Amino acid sequence: EAGVTQFPSHSVIEKGQTVTLRCDPISGHDNLYWYRRVMGKEIKFLLHFVKESKQDESGMPNNRFLAERTGGTYSTLKVQPAELEDSGVYFCASSQGLGTSGREGFWNEQFFGPGTRLTVL
Amino acid sequence: AQSVTQPDIHITVSEGASLELRCNYSYGATPYLFWYVQSPGQGLQLLLKYFSGDTLVQGIKGFEAEFKRSQSSFNLRKPSVHWSDAAEYFCAVRAGNNRKLIWGLGTSLAVNP
């Protein structure tokens, strides 16, 4: 079974440009999460999808970040325009379950992708 | 607010030596605690988790962790480290009905032959 995949693995862009990160979750996983790790800081939650709906986007830094999950499969995270402080590693994770319905779903493990390293110059 | 502290940013041990990585959390009720590992070029992999019950939990790759409520700690241990254990280790907490994980800074482990 394929794990969570992310594309690209690395991206180097200039300040003001646009970048789109993609995450393909494990097939059948309803929950999809984005996290970010800025160098020297802890990993921070960005947002959580349940299928195609945003369940929690409390961690999104500002309106330059736009996440989508059309059709409830893969997700994209677009940064437009990118700023220097957006540099970091962006992780995607997915887990089984039916969202907030059902205790079993709540405890399901989050499986992580290898991350996309974004460098903004 | 919930928080996680991993006091050791970097640790070096010799192969075959024992290992303990520290993790302290801040949360008012019973937390749900996790340890993840990230090897170079790999995604974060779950080592073990604690939700309730026995405070000593066993994980993959020979790791275990002990939940100590009185000390607000969830330290990760391994009796004998292998060179392949060199990686970055993260402690995380999930609280209440919220699914998002709150992370520590991570501890980078180097293993000397």
Side-chain angles (χ1 to χ4, degrees), chain A residues 31 33 35 37 40-45 48 56 58 91 95 99-100 102 105-110 112-114, chain B residues 32 34 36 38 41-46 49 51 88 90 94-106:
Chain A
N31 296 289
Y33 307 81
Y35 294 86
R37 188 186 189 194
K41 302 279 185 78
E42 67 275 17
I43 300 169
K44 287 205 168 177
F45 167 84
H48 169 212
D56 180 355
S58 61
F91 292 101
S95 69
T100 55
F106 176 75
W107 298 122
N108 284 331
E109 175 183 349
Q110 293 183 24
F112 283 79
Chain B
Y32 307 122
F34 305 80
Y36 281 83
Q38 185 180 25
Q42 305 294 313
L44 292 152
Q45 182 183 21
L46 181 66
K49 60 192 177 190
F51 290 158
E88 194 157 19
F90 296 91
R94 192 168 72 195
N97 290 322
N98 201 322
R99 289 172 177 266
K100 66 184 181 187
L101 294 170
I102 309 297
W103 300 81
L105 274 172

Side-chain angles (χ1 to χ4, degrees), chain A residues 55-85:
Chain A
Q55 184 73 23
D56 180 355
E57 51 183 328
S58 61
M60 293 289 264
N62 51 61
N63 60 9
R64 294 186 294 102
F65 288 74
L66 174 65
E68 294 180 321
R69 192 182 182 196
T70 307
T73 55
Y74 71 91
S75 175
T76 58
L77 180 64
K78 180 191 289 187
V79 185
Q80 180 182 30
E83 299 288 344
L84 299 178
E85 64 264 25

Side-chain angles (χ1 to χ4, degrees), chain A:
Chain A
E1 178 183 306
V4 177
T5 57
Q6 294 186 245
F7 182 83
S9 56
H10 294 85
S11 180
V12 181
I13 61 172
E14 293 192 350
K15 176 182 172 181
Q17 290 186 319
T18 297
V19 63
T20 300
L21 313 181
R22 173 170 170 145
C23 169
D24 286 79
I26 293 172
S27 178
H29 280 191
D30 289 334
N31 296 289
L32 188 148
Y33 307 81
W34 284 99
Y35 294 86
R36 176 176 74 171
R37 188 186 189 194
V38 172
M39 190 166 62
K41 302 279 185 78
E42 67 275 17
I43 300 169
K44 287 205 168 177
F45 167 84
L46 295 179
L47 87 159
H48 169 212
F49 283 100
V50 176
K51 296 185 179 179
E52 66 275 11
S53 300
K54 292 175 185 174
Q55 184 73 23
D56 180 355
E57 51 183 328
S58 61
M60 293 289 264
N62 51 61
N63 60 9
R64 294 186 294 102
F65 288 74
L66 174 65
E68 294 180 321
R69 192 182 182 196
T70 307
T73 55
Y74 71 91
S75 175
T76 58
L77 180 64
K78 180 191 289 187
V79 185
Q80 180 182 30
E83 299 288 344
L84 299 178
E85 64 264 25
D86 301 332
S87 296
V89 180
Y90 290 76
F91 292 101
C92 175
S94 71
S95 69
Q96 288 181 314
L98 300 178
T100 55
S101 60
R103 186 175 180 81
E104 180 180 347
F106 176 75
W107 298 122
N108 284 331
E109 175 183 349
Q110 293 183 24
F111 292 87
F112 283 79
T116 293
R117 181 175 296 278
L118 173 64
T119 302
V120 183
L121 303 176

